[in-house]
């Protein structure tokens, strides 16, 4: 490699292409995934009925399973009043850490939150398509995951 095009690890002394600096660290991923899921469920709940008990319970449980073990009703309420741009940025950050299959699973979890109070409404469907786009999925791919998750829930 030419000078300036590589980085050296201080610990192992290995040399890597500069693109290695764009790869998220384990700590970054550990923070991004729960924050991204919090944001995704916030977007979906806002688009439906944010007061529905079943949807709220599903949202909180989903976020806890993504690593935010203390996530509760108060945290959910706080997330529901955050600016949409902030929520969208968190979903993008999570998507940057996920492999394709993990993006599918992530989106499917958000779909299940939307389905917790019954069939998806138009607003929830739009929010889920936005989550898919923010994760880096094509419209057709996102639609496929949404439809497959809806079908499996029937």
């Amino acid at each position: 490699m030419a000078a300036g095009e590589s980085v050296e690890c201080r610990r192992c002394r290995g040399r890597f292409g500069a693109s290695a600096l764009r790869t998220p660290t384990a700590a970054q991923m550990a923070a991004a995934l729960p924050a991204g899921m919090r944001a995704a469920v916030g977007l979906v709940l806002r688009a439906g009925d944010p007061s529905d008990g079943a949807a709220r319970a599903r949202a909180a449980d989903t976020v806890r399973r993504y690593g935010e073990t203390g996530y509760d009703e108060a945290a959910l309420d706080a997330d529901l009043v955050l600016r949409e741009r902030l929520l969208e940025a968190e979903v993008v950050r999570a998507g940057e850490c996920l492999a394709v299959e993990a993006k599918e699973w992530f989106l499917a979890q958000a779909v299940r939150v939307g389905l917790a109070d019954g069939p998806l409404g138009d607003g929830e469907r739009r929010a889920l398509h936005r989550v898919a786009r923010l994760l880096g999925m094509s419209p057709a791919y996102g639609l496929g995951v949404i439809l497959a998750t809806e079908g499996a829930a029937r």
Side-chain angles (χ1 to χ4, degrees):
M1 287 182 212
E5 293 181 5
S6 65
V7 293
E8 183 177 348
C9 175
R10 290 181 183 157
R11 178 169 279 188
C12 73
R13 297 289 186 214
R15 295 185 72 70
F16 305 93
S19 65
L21 296 174
R22 290 188 298 273
T23 303
T25 65
Q28 289 169 324
M29 288 177 62
L33 295 179
M37 185 52 74
R38 285 178 73 156
V41 302
L43 291 168
V44 173
L45 280 179
R46 277 184 183 179
D49 179 1
S51 65
D52 182 82
R56 289 175 66 87
R58 181 64 183 236
D61 183 57
T62 300
V63 172
R64 284 191 295 269
R65 284 186 281 126
Y66 263 76
E68 190 91 18
T69 57
Y71 196 74
D72 59 12
E73 289 282 324
L76 180 58
D77 287 335
D79 288 347
L80 289 172
V81 298
L82 292 173
R83 292 174 141 170
E84 282 199 17
R85 286 188 180 192
L86 175 63
L87 297 175
E88 290 175 343
E90 292 295 345
V91 175
V92 167
R93 206 171 348 272
E96 292 170 346
C97 297
L98 296 171
V100 172
E101 298 82 6
K103 290 178 185 185
E104 290 177 15
W105 181 256
F106 188 102
L107 179 59
Q109 297 308 309
V111 173
R112 290 181 183 101
V113 169
L115 290 169
D117 63 353
L120 295 176
D122 290 339
E124 290 169 318
R125 196 172 295 284
R126 282 190 300 276
L128 289 163
H129 282 281
R130 183 168 23 151
V131 169
R133 180 181 47 80
L134 293 167
L135 289 170
M137 301 170 83
S138 72
Y141 194 17
L143 176 62
V145 172
I146 293 166
L147 292 176
T149 306
E150 281 182 294
R154 289 187 191 141

